[in-house]
Amino acid sequence: MVLTEKHKELIERIGVFHEHKGMQPLVGRIIGLLLVHDEGEVSFDEIVEQLGVSKSAVSNALTFLQAKGRCVYSTRPGDRKRYFALKVSDWREDFEKELQNIAEIQKFIDEVLEVRTEKNPEFNCRMRDFSNFLCFFKQEIPALFERFKKQQA
Amino acid sequence: MVLTEKHKELIERIGVFHEHKGMQPLVGRIIGLLLVHDEGEVSFDEIVEQLGVSKSAVSNALTFLQAKGRCVYSTRPGDRKRYFALKVSDWREDFEKELQNIAEIQKFIDEVLEVRTEKNPEFNCRMRDFSNFLCFFKQEIPALFERFKKQQA
DNA sequence: TTTTTAGTTCTGTATTTGCAGAACTAACTG
DNA sequence: CAGTTAGTTCTGCAAATACAGAACTAAAAA
């Protein structure tokens, strides 16, 4: 597949978006490439060529993506190459994980509330509010997906 | 205020939690200190002493936190020191921003769908599903806060 | 068996990060 | 005014990051 300037520019922007989420630059750009690529499946070699980086860098980045469960490869009969693809099918689980992750802060809030004295009751009160909200939020997540399903039908 | 081992250990864990979110180490630990500190307000000097870091590092970290709107300082009559505190009052807005931020990926998904051909219809279909969900999700956020408010009353 | 292919692992390095320390600024104090 | 206080900005460096290139491995092909 030949990438246009528009493709390349979009890949770069998707790359920096993921960099801001803490991933290393190449990992983000590989996600971009796998998203934009027509076939959805891209060989190791093509990743190296399209992004103009070394094999070692691609190898490490793909190992990382597979470890994170964001990427898989398949093979084809009579072809030794690996074709890498994003696990787009898992977007529900992935998104749910992200939501659970931002709610992780609740654990810390609760620990903080345990060690705090009553010197600043207003502060403590707001923290308790926040903790209660996070608890409520976590409970609401499954219902959110349910409502989406209904709305789709 | 004297910090116990438990306080210090909690501050460190809150620190690494924020590091994983992309912040620099000291910024995370300052958030930890401001959370566990009894008064809620901590002077510049005390931050330097409690965390055992340089004034310059603290200055830069606090400038960052203030720019991000996560921290403010107040002053006291006849006292030139600045007392720094987290904006705990803003937790609703902050949390909403975080939710909007993870939904940001929708923009990219939509741009991706525009440049993709129909070579892999299943991939495109799943991406459209995800985009629709993200759209639905964004709409649901205000209602989420509303339901929490009602449930509280 | 030797050679090729496909990818991994190791080694080195340019760049970036995160902070320390010193110099500096601005405002207050004596 | 000179000296002190509170914090900022500048300079430099040690450590971590992100990658290139080369050496290596394992399996298939010739």
Short mmCIF file of all heavy atoms in Angstrom, two decimals, chain A residues 13 17 35 37-39 88 91 95 99 102 105 108 111-112 116-117 120 127 130 133-134 136-137 140 144 147-148 151, chain B residues 13 17 35 37-39 88 91 95 99 102 105 108 111-112 116-117 120 127 130 133-134 136-137 140 144 147-148 151:
data_model
loop_
_atom_site.label_atom_id
_atom_site.label_comp_id
_atom_site.label_asym_id
_atom_site.label_seq_id
_atom_site.Cartn_x
_atom_site.Cartn_y
_atom_site.Cartn_z
N ARG A 13 0.11 12.29 13.81
CA ARG A 13 -0.74 12.86 14.87
C ARG A 13 -1.25 11.79 15.83
O ARG A 13 -1.32 12.02 17.03
CB ARG A 13 -1.89 13.65 14.26
CG ARG A 13 -1.45 15.05 13.83
CD ARG A 13 -2.61 15.93 13.46
NE ARG A 13 -3.28 15.46 12.25
CZ ARG A 13 -4.55 15.12 12.19
NH1 ARG A 13 -5.31 15.21 13.26
NH2 ARG A 13 -5.07 14.71 11.05
N PHE A 17 -0.41 11.64 19.88
CA PHE A 17 -1.53 11.42 20.83
C PHE A 17 -1.16 10.30 21.80
O PHE A 17 -1.35 10.43 23.01
CB PHE A 17 -2.80 11.06 20.06
CG PHE A 17 -3.97 10.74 20.94
CD1 PHE A 17 -4.71 11.75 21.54
CD2 PHE A 17 -4.35 9.41 21.16
CE1 PHE A 17 -5.80 11.46 22.34
CE2 PHE A 17 -5.44 9.11 21.97
CZ PHE A 17 -6.16 10.13 22.56
N LEU A 35 -3.83 1.40 11.99
CA LEU A 35 -5.19 1.94 11.89
C LEU A 35 -5.49 2.38 10.47
O LEU A 35 -6.59 2.15 9.94
CB LEU A 35 -5.36 3.14 12.84
CG LEU A 35 -5.71 2.84 14.29
CD1 LEU A 35 -5.66 4.13 15.10
CD2 LEU A 35 -7.09 2.19 14.39
N HIS A 37 -3.83 1.62 7.65
CA HIS A 37 -3.52 0.70 6.55
C HIS A 37 -4.77 -0.07 6.09
O HIS A 37 -5.45 -0.71 6.88
CB HIS A 37 -2.45 -0.29 7.00
CG HIS A 37 -1.77 -0.98 5.86
ND1 HIS A 37 -2.36 -2.00 5.15
CD2 HIS A 37 -0.56 -0.79 5.30
CE1 HIS A 37 -1.53 -2.41 4.20
NE2 HIS A 37 -0.43 -1.68 4.27
N ASP A 38 -5.02 0.02 4.78
CA ASP A 38 -6.18 -0.61 4.14
C ASP A 38 -6.48 -2.03 4.59
O ASP A 38 -7.62 -2.36 4.90
CB ASP A 38 -5.96 -0.66 2.62
CG ASP A 38 -6.31 0.66 1.99
OD1 ASP A 38 -7.03 1.43 2.63
OD2 ASP A 38 -5.84 0.90 0.86
N GLU A 39 -5.42 -2.84 4.56
CA GLU A 39 -5.62 -4.27 4.82
C GLU A 39 -5.91 -4.54 6.30
O GLU A 39 -6.50 -5.57 6.63
CB GLU A 39 -4.39 -5.08 4.41
CG GLU A 39 -3.50 -4.42 3.39
CD GLU A 39 -3.88 -4.80 1.97
OE1 GLU A 39 -4.73 -5.69 1.83
OE2 GLU A 39 -3.34 -4.20 1.03
N VAL A 88 -8.81 -4.59 17.20
CA VAL A 88 -9.93 -3.63 17.24
C VAL A 88 -11.19 -4.24 17.84
O VAL A 88 -12.06 -3.54 18.33
CB VAL A 88 -10.28 -3.09 15.83
CG1 VAL A 88 -9.36 -1.97 15.46
CG2 VAL A 88 -10.31 -4.18 14.80
N TRP A 91 -12.32 -3.32 21.60
CA TRP A 91 -12.42 -1.93 22.05
C TRP A 91 -13.27 -1.76 23.30
O TRP A 91 -13.00 -0.90 24.13
CB TRP A 91 -12.87 -0.99 20.92
CG TRP A 91 -14.26 -1.19 20.38
CD1 TRP A 91 -14.60 -1.82 19.23
CD2 TRP A 91 -15.48 -0.72 20.95
NE1 TRP A 91 -15.94 -1.80 19.05
CE2 TRP A 91 -16.52 -1.12 20.08
CE3 TRP A 91 -15.81 0.00 22.10
CZ2 TRP A 91 -17.87 -0.84 20.33
CZ3 TRP A 91 -17.14 0.28 22.35
CH2 TRP A 91 -18.15 -0.13 21.47
N PHE A 95 -11.66 -0.01 26.48
CA PHE A 95 -12.23 1.24 26.97
C PHE A 95 -12.63 1.08 28.44
O PHE A 95 -12.41 1.97 29.25
CB PHE A 95 -13.43 1.65 26.13
CG PHE A 95 -13.84 3.06 26.33
CD1 PHE A 95 -13.11 4.09 25.75
CD2 PHE A 95 -14.93 3.38 27.11
CE1 PHE A 95 -13.48 5.42 25.94
CE2 PHE A 95 -15.31 4.71 27.30
CZ PHE A 95 -14.57 5.72 26.71
N LEU A 99 -11.37 3.21 31.73
CA LEU A 99 -12.26 3.85 32.71
C LEU A 99 -11.92 3.37 34.12
O LEU A 99 -11.83 4.16 35.06
CB LEU A 99 -13.72 3.52 32.39
CG LEU A 99 -14.29 4.14 31.11
CD1 LEU A 99 -15.76 3.78 30.95
CD2 LEU A 99 -14.14 5.66 31.13
N ILE A 102 -8.76 5.13 35.36
CA ILE A 102 -8.81 6.49 35.91
C ILE A 102 -9.54 6.51 37.25
O ILE A 102 -9.30 7.37 38.08
CB ILE A 102 -9.41 7.54 34.93
CG1 ILE A 102 -10.89 7.33 34.70
CG2 ILE A 102 -8.66 7.57 33.61
CD1 ILE A 102 -11.50 8.49 33.97
N ILE A 105 -7.68 6.03 41.12
CA ILE A 105 -7.30 7.06 42.08
C ILE A 105 -8.10 6.93 43.37
O ILE A 105 -7.65 7.35 44.43
CB ILE A 105 -7.47 8.48 41.46
CG1 ILE A 105 -6.90 9.59 42.36
CG2 ILE A 105 -8.94 8.79 41.18
CD1 ILE A 105 -5.44 9.75 42.27
N PHE A 108 -6.27 5.52 46.35
CA PHE A 108 -5.37 6.45 47.01
C PHE A 108 -6.15 7.45 47.86
O PHE A 108 -5.76 7.76 48.99
CB PHE A 108 -4.50 7.17 45.98
CG PHE A 108 -3.56 6.26 45.27
CD1 PHE A 108 -3.75 5.92 43.94
CD2 PHE A 108 -2.48 5.71 45.95
CE1 PHE A 108 -2.87 5.07 43.30
CE2 PHE A 108 -1.60 4.85 45.30
CZ PHE A 108 -1.79 4.53 43.97
N GLU A 111 -7.06 5.82 51.03
CA GLU A 111 -5.89 5.69 51.92
C GLU A 111 -5.52 7.03 52.53
O GLU A 111 -5.14 7.10 53.71
CB GLU A 111 -4.69 5.14 51.13
CG GLU A 111 -4.78 3.66 50.84
CD GLU A 111 -3.45 3.11 50.37
OE1 GLU A 111 -2.53 2.99 51.20
OE2 GLU A 111 -3.34 2.81 49.16
N VAL A 112 -5.64 8.07 51.72
CA VAL A 112 -5.35 9.41 52.21
C VAL A 112 -6.32 9.77 53.33
O VAL A 112 -5.91 10.27 54.40
CB VAL A 112 -5.46 10.44 51.06
CG1 VAL A 112 -5.61 11.85 51.60
CG2 VAL A 112 -4.24 10.34 50.15
N ARG A 116 -5.41 11.05 57.27
CA ARG A 116 -5.64 12.47 57.56
C ARG A 116 -6.31 12.67 58.93
O ARG A 116 -7.16 11.89 59.33
CB ARG A 116 -6.51 13.11 56.48
CG ARG A 116 -5.81 13.30 55.15
CD ARG A 116 -6.68 14.08 54.19
NE ARG A 116 -6.90 15.43 54.65
CZ ARG A 116 -6.02 16.40 54.57
NH1 ARG A 116 -4.86 16.18 54.02
NH2 ARG A 116 -6.28 17.60 55.04
N THR A 117 -5.92 13.75 59.61
CA THR A 117 -6.61 14.13 60.84
C THR A 117 -7.83 14.98 60.47
O THR A 117 -8.12 15.16 59.29
CB THR A 117 -5.69 14.97 61.74
OG1 THR A 117 -5.42 16.21 61.07
CG2 THR A 117 -4.40 14.23 62.03
N ASN A 120 -8.53 19.77 58.81
CA ASN A 120 -9.14 20.51 57.70
C ASN A 120 -10.38 19.76 57.22
O ASN A 120 -10.35 19.05 56.22
CB ASN A 120 -8.10 20.65 56.57
CG ASN A 120 -8.55 21.63 55.50
OD1 ASN A 120 -9.76 21.84 55.31
ND2 ASN A 120 -7.61 22.20 54.78
N MET A 127 -12.94 15.32 49.71
CA MET A 127 -12.30 14.06 49.31
C MET A 127 -13.28 12.91 49.44
O MET A 127 -13.34 12.02 48.59
CB MET A 127 -11.07 13.79 50.19
CG MET A 127 -9.97 14.81 50.08
SD MET A 127 -9.33 14.97 48.42
CE MET A 127 -8.42 13.46 48.33
N PHE A 130 -15.61 12.98 46.55
CA PHE A 130 -14.96 12.48 45.35
C PHE A 130 -14.89 10.95 45.38
O PHE A 130 -15.20 10.28 44.39
CB PHE A 130 -13.55 13.08 45.22
CG PHE A 130 -12.86 12.83 43.92
CD1 PHE A 130 -13.59 12.57 42.76
CD2 PHE A 130 -11.47 12.83 43.85
CE1 PHE A 130 -12.94 12.33 41.54
CE2 PHE A 130 -10.82 12.60 42.64
CZ PHE A 130 -11.56 12.34 41.49
N PHE A 133 -18.20 9.52 44.64
CA PHE A 133 -18.50 9.62 43.22
C PHE A 133 -17.78 8.52 42.43
O PHE A 133 -18.37 7.88 41.55
CB PHE A 133 -18.12 10.98 42.65
CG PHE A 133 -18.28 11.04 41.16
CD1 PHE A 133 -19.54 11.15 40.59
CD2 PHE A 133 -17.19 10.94 40.32
CE1 PHE A 133 -19.70 11.17 39.22
CE2 PHE A 133 -17.33 10.96 38.95
CZ PHE A 133 -18.59 11.07 38.40
N LEU A 134 -16.52 8.30 42.76
CA LEU A 134 -15.74 7.30 42.03
C LEU A 134 -16.34 5.91 42.22
O LEU A 134 -16.39 5.10 41.27
CB LEU A 134 -14.28 7.32 42.48
CG LEU A 134 -13.50 8.54 42.00
CD1 LEU A 134 -12.15 8.64 42.70
CD2 LEU A 134 -13.29 8.48 40.49
N PHE A 136 -19.53 5.28 42.83
CA PHE A 136 -20.73 5.33 41.98
C PHE A 136 -20.35 5.15 40.51
O PHE A 136 -20.99 4.36 39.78
CB PHE A 136 -21.42 6.68 42.20
CG PHE A 136 -22.48 7.01 41.18
CD1 PHE A 136 -23.76 6.49 41.29
CD2 PHE A 136 -22.20 7.87 40.12
CE1 PHE A 136 -24.74 6.80 40.36
CE2 PHE A 136 -23.16 8.19 39.18
CZ PHE A 136 -24.44 7.64 39.31
N PHE A 137 -19.33 5.83 40.09
CA PHE A 137 -18.90 5.78 38.70
C PHE A 137 -18.55 4.36 38.27
O PHE A 137 -18.99 3.88 37.22
CB PHE A 137 -17.70 6.70 38.50
CG PHE A 137 -17.12 6.69 37.11
CD1 PHE A 137 -17.78 7.31 36.06
CD2 PHE A 137 -15.92 6.04 36.86
CE1 PHE A 137 -17.25 7.29 34.78
CE2 PHE A 137 -15.39 6.02 35.58
CZ PHE A 137 -16.06 6.64 34.54
N GLU A 140 -21.46 2.25 37.65
CA GLU A 140 -22.26 2.66 36.49
C GLU A 140 -21.69 2.17 35.16
O GLU A 140 -22.40 2.16 34.15
CB GLU A 140 -22.37 4.18 36.45
CG GLU A 140 -23.33 4.76 37.45
CD GLU A 140 -24.78 4.49 37.06
OE1 GLU A 140 -25.17 4.86 35.94
OE2 GLU A 140 -25.51 3.90 37.88
N LEU A 144 -23.62 1.51 31.49
CA LEU A 144 -23.34 2.40 30.37
C LEU A 144 -23.28 1.60 29.06
O LEU A 144 -23.90 1.98 28.06
CB LEU A 144 -22.01 3.09 30.62
CG LEU A 144 -21.72 4.36 29.85
CD1 LEU A 144 -22.51 5.51 30.42
CD2 LEU A 144 -20.24 4.66 29.88
N ARG A 147 -26.78 0.37 28.09
CA ARG A 147 -27.62 1.39 27.47
C ARG A 147 -27.21 1.65 26.03
O ARG A 147 -28.04 1.89 25.17
CB ARG A 147 -27.57 2.69 28.27
CG ARG A 147 -28.81 2.87 29.14
CD ARG A 147 -28.70 4.11 29.99
NE ARG A 147 -27.68 3.91 31.02
CZ ARG A 147 -26.80 4.82 31.37
NH1 ARG A 147 -26.78 5.99 30.77
NH2 ARG A 147 -25.91 4.56 32.32
N PHE A 148 -25.91 1.58 25.79
CA PHE A 148 -25.43 1.76 24.41
C PHE A 148 -25.97 0.66 23.51
O PHE A 148 -26.44 0.92 22.40
CB PHE A 148 -23.91 1.78 24.36
CG PHE A 148 -23.35 1.84 22.96
CD1 PHE A 148 -23.54 2.96 22.17
CD2 PHE A 148 -22.63 0.77 22.44
CE1 PHE A 148 -23.03 3.03 20.88
CE2 PHE A 148 -22.11 0.83 21.15
CZ PHE A 148 -22.31 1.95 20.37
N GLN A 151 -29.62 1.26 22.79
CA GLN A 151 -29.78 2.40 21.89
C GLN A 151 -29.44 2.04 20.45
O GLN A 151 -30.00 2.58 19.51
CB GLN A 151 -28.89 3.54 22.38
CG GLN A 151 -29.06 4.82 21.60
CD GLN A 151 -27.73 5.43 21.20
OE1 GLN A 151 -27.35 6.46 21.71
NE2 GLN A 151 -27.03 4.76 20.29
N ARG B 13 3.80 6.26 46.56
CA ARG B 13 2.90 5.50 45.68
C ARG B 13 2.00 6.42 44.86
O ARG B 13 1.74 6.17 43.69
CB ARG B 13 2.08 4.50 46.49
CG ARG B 13 2.88 3.24 46.82
CD ARG B 13 2.01 2.15 47.38
NE ARG B 13 1.51 2.49 48.69
CZ ARG B 13 0.24 2.54 49.02
NH1 ARG B 13 -0.69 2.28 48.13
NH2 ARG B 13 -0.13 2.86 50.24
N PHE B 17 1.99 6.67 40.74
CA PHE B 17 0.70 6.64 40.02
C PHE B 17 0.62 7.78 39.02
O PHE B 17 0.23 7.60 37.87
CB PHE B 17 -0.46 6.72 41.03
CG PHE B 17 -1.82 6.78 40.39
CD1 PHE B 17 -2.43 5.63 39.92
CD2 PHE B 17 -2.50 8.00 40.27
CE1 PHE B 17 -3.68 5.67 39.33
CE2 PHE B 17 -3.76 8.04 39.69
CZ PHE B 17 -4.35 6.88 39.22
N LEU B 35 -1.90 16.11 49.37
CA LEU B 35 -3.07 15.29 49.73
C LEU B 35 -3.00 14.81 51.18
O LEU B 35 -4.00 14.86 51.89
CB LEU B 35 -3.16 14.07 48.81
CG LEU B 35 -3.85 14.27 47.46
CD1 LEU B 35 -3.70 13.01 46.61
CD2 LEU B 35 -5.32 14.62 47.63
N HIS B 37 -1.07 16.00 53.64
CA HIS B 37 -0.75 17.00 54.66
C HIS B 37 -2.01 17.49 55.38
O HIS B 37 -2.95 17.97 54.74
CB HIS B 37 -0.01 18.18 54.02
CG HIS B 37 0.71 19.02 55.01
ND1 HIS B 37 0.07 19.89 55.85
CD2 HIS B 37 2.04 19.11 55.33
CE1 HIS B 37 0.96 20.48 56.62
NE2 HIS B 37 2.16 20.02 56.32
N ASP B 38 -1.97 17.37 56.71
CA ASP B 38 -3.09 17.77 57.55
C ASP B 38 -3.76 19.09 57.20
O ASP B 38 -4.98 19.18 57.11
CB ASP B 38 -2.61 17.91 59.00
CG ASP B 38 -2.52 16.57 59.68
OD1 ASP B 38 -3.17 15.64 59.18
OD2 ASP B 38 -1.82 16.46 60.70
N GLU B 39 -2.91 20.10 57.04
CA GLU B 39 -3.46 21.45 56.84
C GLU B 39 -4.07 21.63 55.46
O GLU B 39 -4.92 22.48 55.27
CB GLU B 39 -2.38 22.52 57.03
CG GLU B 39 -1.18 22.10 57.84
CD GLU B 39 -1.37 22.42 59.33
OE1 GLU B 39 -2.35 23.11 59.65
OE2 GLU B 39 -0.54 21.97 60.14
N VAL B 88 -8.95 20.81 45.32
CA VAL B 88 -9.83 19.65 45.48
C VAL B 88 -11.28 19.97 45.13
O VAL B 88 -12.07 19.10 44.81
CB VAL B 88 -9.80 19.08 46.92
CG1 VAL B 88 -8.61 18.19 47.10
CG2 VAL B 88 -9.83 20.18 47.95
N TRP B 91 -12.85 18.75 41.63
CA TRP B 91 -12.73 17.36 41.20
C TRP B 91 -13.73 16.97 40.12
O TRP B 91 -13.42 16.16 39.26
CB TRP B 91 -12.76 16.39 42.38
CG TRP B 91 -14.04 16.29 43.16
CD1 TRP B 91 -14.29 16.86 44.36
CD2 TRP B 91 -15.21 15.55 42.82
NE1 TRP B 91 -15.55 16.54 44.79
CE2 TRP B 91 -16.13 15.74 43.87
CE3 TRP B 91 -15.58 14.75 41.73
CZ2 TRP B 91 -17.41 15.16 43.86
CZ3 TRP B 91 -16.85 14.18 41.73
CH2 TRP B 91 -17.74 14.39 42.78
N PHE B 95 -12.39 15.54 36.66
CA PHE B 95 -12.75 14.19 36.25
C PHE B 95 -13.43 14.22 34.88
O PHE B 95 -13.18 13.38 34.03
CB PHE B 95 -13.67 13.56 37.30
CG PHE B 95 -13.81 12.08 37.14
CD1 PHE B 95 -12.80 11.23 37.57
CD2 PHE B 95 -14.94 11.53 36.56
CE1 PHE B 95 -12.92 9.85 37.43
CE2 PHE B 95 -15.06 10.16 36.41
CZ PHE B 95 -14.06 9.32 36.85
N LEU B 99 -12.37 12.34 31.39
CA LEU B 99 -13.27 11.52 30.58
C LEU B 99 -13.30 12.02 29.13
O LEU B 99 -13.21 11.24 28.18
CB LEU B 99 -14.69 11.52 31.16
CG LEU B 99 -14.86 10.82 32.50
CD1 LEU B 99 -16.32 10.87 32.94
CD2 LEU B 99 -14.39 9.37 32.44
N ILE B 102 -10.10 10.94 27.29
CA ILE B 102 -9.96 9.59 26.75
C ILE B 102 -10.89 9.40 25.55
O ILE B 102 -10.63 8.59 24.68
CB ILE B 102 -10.14 8.46 27.80
CG1 ILE B 102 -11.57 8.36 28.29
CG2 ILE B 102 -9.17 8.60 28.95
CD1 ILE B 102 -11.78 7.11 29.12
N ILE B 105 -9.92 10.19 21.39
CA ILE B 105 -9.52 9.25 20.35
C ILE B 105 -10.57 9.19 19.23
O ILE B 105 -10.24 8.86 18.09
CB ILE B 105 -9.28 7.84 20.96
CG1 ILE B 105 -8.66 6.86 19.96
CG2 ILE B 105 -10.57 7.23 21.50
CD1 ILE B 105 -7.20 7.01 19.79
N PHE B 108 -9.66 10.89 16.00
CA PHE B 108 -8.73 10.14 15.16
C PHE B 108 -9.43 8.99 14.45
O PHE B 108 -9.20 8.77 13.26
CB PHE B 108 -7.55 9.65 15.98
CG PHE B 108 -6.69 10.75 16.52
CD1 PHE B 108 -6.69 11.06 17.86
CD2 PHE B 108 -5.90 11.49 15.65
CE1 PHE B 108 -5.90 12.09 18.35
CE2 PHE B 108 -5.11 12.52 16.13
CZ PHE B 108 -5.11 12.82 17.48
N GLU B 111 -11.23 10.36 11.55
CA GLU B 111 -10.31 10.72 10.46
C GLU B 111 -9.80 9.47 9.76
O GLU B 111 -9.64 9.47 8.53
CB GLU B 111 -9.13 11.52 11.01
CG GLU B 111 -9.48 12.95 11.33
CD GLU B 111 -8.23 13.77 11.57
OE1 GLU B 111 -7.51 14.08 10.61
OE2 GLU B 111 -7.96 14.10 12.76
N VAL B 112 -9.55 8.44 10.54
CA VAL B 112 -9.09 7.17 9.98
C VAL B 112 -10.15 6.60 9.05
O VAL B 112 -9.85 6.17 7.93
CB VAL B 112 -8.74 6.17 11.11
CG1 VAL B 112 -8.70 4.75 10.59
CG2 VAL B 112 -7.43 6.55 11.78
N ARG B 116 -9.78 5.48 5.00
CA ARG B 116 -9.75 4.04 4.72
C ARG B 116 -10.62 3.68 3.50
O ARG B 116 -11.68 4.24 3.29
CB ARG B 116 -10.26 3.25 5.93
CG ARG B 116 -9.28 3.24 7.10
CD ARG B 116 -9.78 2.32 8.19
NE ARG B 116 -9.79 0.94 7.74
CZ ARG B 116 -8.72 0.17 7.67
NH1 ARG B 116 -7.56 0.64 8.03
NH2 ARG B 116 -8.81 -1.07 7.24
N THR B 117 -10.13 2.69 2.74
CA THR B 117 -10.95 2.15 1.65
C THR B 117 -11.85 1.06 2.23
O THR B 117 -11.86 0.84 3.43
CB THR B 117 -10.05 1.52 0.57
OG1 THR B 117 -9.40 0.37 1.15
CG2 THR B 117 -9.01 2.51 0.07
N ASN B 120 -11.21 -3.74 3.89
CA ASN B 120 -11.42 -4.57 5.08
C ASN B 120 -12.67 -4.09 5.81
O ASN B 120 -12.60 -3.38 6.79
CB ASN B 120 -10.18 -4.47 5.99
CG ASN B 120 -10.21 -5.48 7.13
OD1 ASN B 120 -11.29 -5.92 7.55
ND2 ASN B 120 -9.05 -5.83 7.63
N MET B 127 -14.63 -0.14 13.76
CA MET B 127 -14.21 1.23 14.05
C MET B 127 -15.43 2.15 14.14
O MET B 127 -15.49 3.04 14.99
CB MET B 127 -13.27 1.75 12.97
CG MET B 127 -11.98 0.97 12.83
SD MET B 127 -11.02 0.98 14.33
CE MET B 127 -10.46 2.65 14.29
N PHE B 130 -17.10 1.65 17.41
CA PHE B 130 -16.35 2.30 18.49
C PHE B 130 -16.62 3.81 18.47
O PHE B 130 -16.88 4.42 19.51
CB PHE B 130 -14.87 1.99 18.33
CG PHE B 130 -14.02 2.43 19.49
CD1 PHE B 130 -14.55 2.55 20.77
CD2 PHE B 130 -12.66 2.71 19.31
CE1 PHE B 130 -13.77 2.94 21.84
CE2 PHE B 130 -11.89 3.11 20.38
CZ PHE B 130 -12.43 3.22 21.64
N PHE B 133 -19.96 4.52 19.83
CA PHE B 133 -19.97 4.39 21.29
C PHE B 133 -19.37 5.63 21.95
O PHE B 133 -19.90 6.14 22.94
CB PHE B 133 -19.21 3.15 21.75
CG PHE B 133 -19.08 3.07 23.23
CD1 PHE B 133 -20.16 2.71 24.01
CD2 PHE B 133 -17.89 3.41 23.86
CE1 PHE B 133 -20.07 2.67 25.40
CE2 PHE B 133 -17.78 3.39 25.24
CZ PHE B 133 -18.86 3.01 26.01
N LEU B 134 -18.25 6.10 21.41
CA LEU B 134 -17.59 7.26 22.00
C LEU B 134 -18.49 8.49 21.96
O LEU B 134 -18.53 9.28 22.90
CB LEU B 134 -16.26 7.53 21.28
CG LEU B 134 -15.17 6.51 21.58
CD1 LEU B 134 -14.00 6.69 20.63
CD2 LEU B 134 -14.70 6.64 23.02
N PHE B 136 -21.79 8.42 21.95
CA PHE B 136 -22.78 8.14 22.99
C PHE B 136 -22.21 8.42 24.38
O PHE B 136 -22.84 9.07 25.21
CB PHE B 136 -23.20 6.66 22.88
CG PHE B 136 -23.96 6.13 24.05
CD1 PHE B 136 -25.32 6.37 24.18
CD2 PHE B 136 -23.32 5.36 25.02
CE1 PHE B 136 -26.03 5.87 25.27
CE2 PHE B 136 -24.02 4.86 26.10
CZ PHE B 136 -25.37 5.12 26.23
N PHE B 137 -20.99 7.98 24.59
CA PHE B 137 -20.33 8.14 25.89
C PHE B 137 -20.22 9.61 26.28
O PHE B 137 -20.55 10.00 27.39
CB PHE B 137 -18.94 7.49 25.84
CG PHE B 137 -18.15 7.65 27.10
CD1 PHE B 137 -18.45 6.92 28.24
CD2 PHE B 137 -17.08 8.54 27.15
CE1 PHE B 137 -17.72 7.06 29.40
CE2 PHE B 137 -16.34 8.69 28.32
CZ PHE B 137 -16.66 7.94 29.44
N GLU B 140 -23.35 11.06 27.45
CA GLU B 140 -23.82 10.53 28.73
C GLU B 140 -23.15 11.16 29.95
O GLU B 140 -23.65 11.03 31.06
CB GLU B 140 -23.60 9.02 28.77
CG GLU B 140 -24.58 8.23 27.92
CD GLU B 140 -25.96 8.19 28.56
OE1 GLU B 140 -26.05 7.79 29.72
OE2 GLU B 140 -26.94 8.58 27.88
N LEU B 144 -24.48 11.45 33.92
CA LEU B 144 -23.82 10.67 34.95
C LEU B 144 -23.69 11.48 36.24
O LEU B 144 -24.03 11.02 37.33
CB LEU B 144 -22.43 10.27 34.45
CG LEU B 144 -21.75 9.11 35.15
CD1 LEU B 144 -22.38 7.80 34.72
CD2 LEU B 144 -20.27 9.12 34.82
N ARG B 147 -27.11 11.99 37.85
CA ARG B 147 -27.61 10.83 38.60
C ARG B 147 -26.90 10.69 39.94
O ARG B 147 -27.49 10.29 40.92
CB ARG B 147 -27.43 9.56 37.76
CG ARG B 147 -28.75 9.12 37.11
CD ARG B 147 -28.55 7.91 36.25
NE ARG B 147 -27.79 8.27 35.06
CZ ARG B 147 -26.80 7.56 34.55
NH1 ARG B 147 -26.43 6.44 35.13
NH2 ARG B 147 -26.19 7.97 33.47
N PHE B 148 -25.62 11.05 39.94
CA PHE B 148 -24.88 10.99 41.21
C PHE B 148 -25.46 11.98 42.21
O PHE B 148 -25.67 11.65 43.38
CB PHE B 148 -23.40 11.29 40.97
CG PHE B 148 -22.60 11.37 42.24
CD1 PHE B 148 -22.41 10.25 43.03
CD2 PHE B 148 -22.03 12.57 42.64
CE1 PHE B 148 -21.67 10.32 44.20
CE2 PHE B 148 -21.29 12.65 43.81
CZ PHE B 148 -21.11 11.52 44.59
N GLN B 151 -28.72 10.64 43.56
CA GLN B 151 -28.47 9.51 44.45
C GLN B 151 -27.94 9.97 45.80
O GLN B 151 -28.22 9.35 46.83
CB GLN B 151 -27.47 8.58 43.78
CG GLN B 151 -27.22 7.30 44.55
CD GLN B 151 -25.76 7.00 44.69
OE1 GLN B 151 -25.28 6.06 44.07
NE2 GLN B 151 -25.05 7.79 45.49
#
